[in-house]
Amino acid sequence: MAQSIVDFLLSHAQKPNTTGTTKRNDVARSAALLLEKDLTLVFQFRFEMSTEESVPESKAIVFVVDDDVSMREALESLIRSAGFKVETFASAQDFLARRRADGPACLVLDVRLPGLSGLDLQKRIVEANREIPIVFITGHGDVPTSVRAMKAGAVEFLIKPFSDRDLLDAIQQAIKRDQSARQQHAEMQDLCGRYESLTPRERQVMERVVSGLLNKQVAAELGTSEITIKVQRGQVMHKMRAGSLADLVRMYEKLRIWGSRKN
């Protein structure tokens, strides 16, 4: 549809001048060339995304929070043209009322908002453990604000007027970050499930085995026989799906780090 607009403007600009003036044709020609340039940018961006290993655009969603209705509409149009689903919100409170996205997502967030500011919303998101990558946009950028936002985990901090390409690149980076985080979370949930399947004694055996103790040393500490420890160690390896002691050690470290983050 947008390309047909370009064709229309160009054809209008090429019509014989019957009015005796050229100003209208020059304006039409300039508008057509500018629009064609923007379309080329969007099409190039979509092609580059399609050649990379990432989430299909149609499965990713971009949330936009900006109190300026014209800005929301412009951002929605641009982001949707790049192949993403888009949901827009006029305030931070409206966004917080929306449940967490089921698939990869990111948030394009204005710094200055009525009520909760963009930075306040970022803090609320972190506290609620919603973990959504944020691309900040603002017309009043300053170094302390941008530093604060980036330290809190923002993907990018763009100052208006920014280019369409800069925003689309930031969104692509944010979607990839969320995809990676979701994959890591799914893997850890699976690993935690395996650990939960261990009996209390098997967990005791696992903790001592990964610390480097031999079977006879584990048996001595737990007050049982070496053959019993050998059997229980085999059960631990099987339930955790560990191919080697090194695998088991890596799994245990991941579980320990994951547990410390949750606490």
Side-chain angles (χ1 to χ4, degrees):
M1 178 179 178
Q3 186 61 47
S4 64
I5 297 175
V6 175
D7 296 337
F8 172 78
L9 289 170
L10 285 174
S11 64
H12 179 76
Q14 293 167 358
K15 285 183 179 180
N17 182 7
T18 59
T19 63
T21 62
T22 60
K23 185 175 181 180
R24 185 187 304 170
N25 289 351
D26 290 340
V27 170
R29 184 180 294 107
S30 298
L33 292 176
L34 286 172
L35 181 55
E36 188 170 31
K37 180 181 178 182
D38 287 343
L39 285 169
T40 301
L41 173 65
V42 172
F43 294 152
Q44 179 183 359
F45 176 80
R46 293 191 68 176
F47 174 76
E48 289 174 355
M49 284 195 67
S50 66
T51 58
E52 299 178 3
E53 294 182 2
S54 87
V55 175
E57 295 94 313
S58 60
K59 292 185 179 180
I61 184 168
V62 180
F63 300 109
V64 176
V65 180
D66 196 309
D67 61 319
D68 186 332
V69 62
S70 61
M71 190 66 180
R72 286 201 308 274
E73 291 174 351
L75 290 173
E76 179 178 10
S77 178
L78 172 66
I79 297 168
R80 199 178 297 281
S81 70
F84 298 103
K85 294 179 181 178
V86 187
E87 286 188 28
T88 63
F89 305 86
S91 69
Q93 290 86 344
D94 289 344
F95 174 75
L96 287 173
R98 205 264 190 205
R99 66 180 179 82
R100 183 177 179 179
D102 295 328
C106 77
L107 173 61
V108 176
L109 177 61
D110 192 12
V111 173
R112 294 192 175 185
L113 294 169
L116 283 176
S117 70
L119 292 176
D120 290 334
L121 176 56
Q122 182 186 36
K123 183 179 179 182
R124 291 280 188 93
I125 289 172
V126 171
E127 292 172 348
N129 198 30
R130 291 184 68 163
E131 299 181 1
I132 183 171
I134 298 175
V135 176
F136 274 104
I137 58 175
T138 182
H140 309 275
D142 60 78
V143 175
T145 300
S146 61
V147 169
R148 180 181 166 188
M150 298 303 285
K151 279 187 175 181
V155 175
E156 186 58 273
F157 194 95
L158 300 175
I159 299 176
K160 303 173 186 176
F162 45 80
S163 71
D164 292 352
R165 184 54 187 264
D166 285 345
L167 177 61
L168 293 176
D169 282 345
I171 288 173
Q172 182 184 13
Q173 181 183 350
I175 291 294
K176 285 183 177 180
R177 179 185 292 189
D178 196 46
Q179 178 190 15
S180 177
R182 287 173 180 273
Q183 182 177 349
Q184 182 184 28
H185 182 77
E187 291 173 354
M188 285 307 306
Q189 289 295 102
D190 179 64
L191 186 58
C192 288
R194 286 182 245 164
Y195 183 74
E196 291 296 325
S197 71
L198 301 179
T199 66
R201 174 48 65 93
E202 288 167 351
R203 293 180 193 178
Q204 291 177 334
V205 171
M206 178 179 176
E207 291 170 4
R208 286 161 175 78
V209 167
V210 298
S211 70
L213 296 182
L214 299 175
N215 288 346
K216 61 181 180 181
Q217 293 173 314
V218 176
E221 281 199 11
L222 298 180
T224 187
S225 66
E226 184 176 350
I227 188 65
T228 298
I229 295 301
K230 187 177 290 187
V231 171
Q232 291 171 338
R233 178 171 176 165
Q235 291 172 333
V236 169
M237 297 292 285
H238 174 71
K239 289 182 178 180
M240 293 300 296
R241 297 181 222 157
S244 65
L245 177 58
D247 284 344
L248 192 65
V249 171
R250 282 191 290 269
M251 291 176 184
Y252 186 79
E253 281 302 304
K254 286 182 179 180
L255 288 166
R256 186 179 63 80
I257 294 172
W258 182 261
S260 64
R261 285 179 181 175
K262 291 176 69 175
N263 296 331

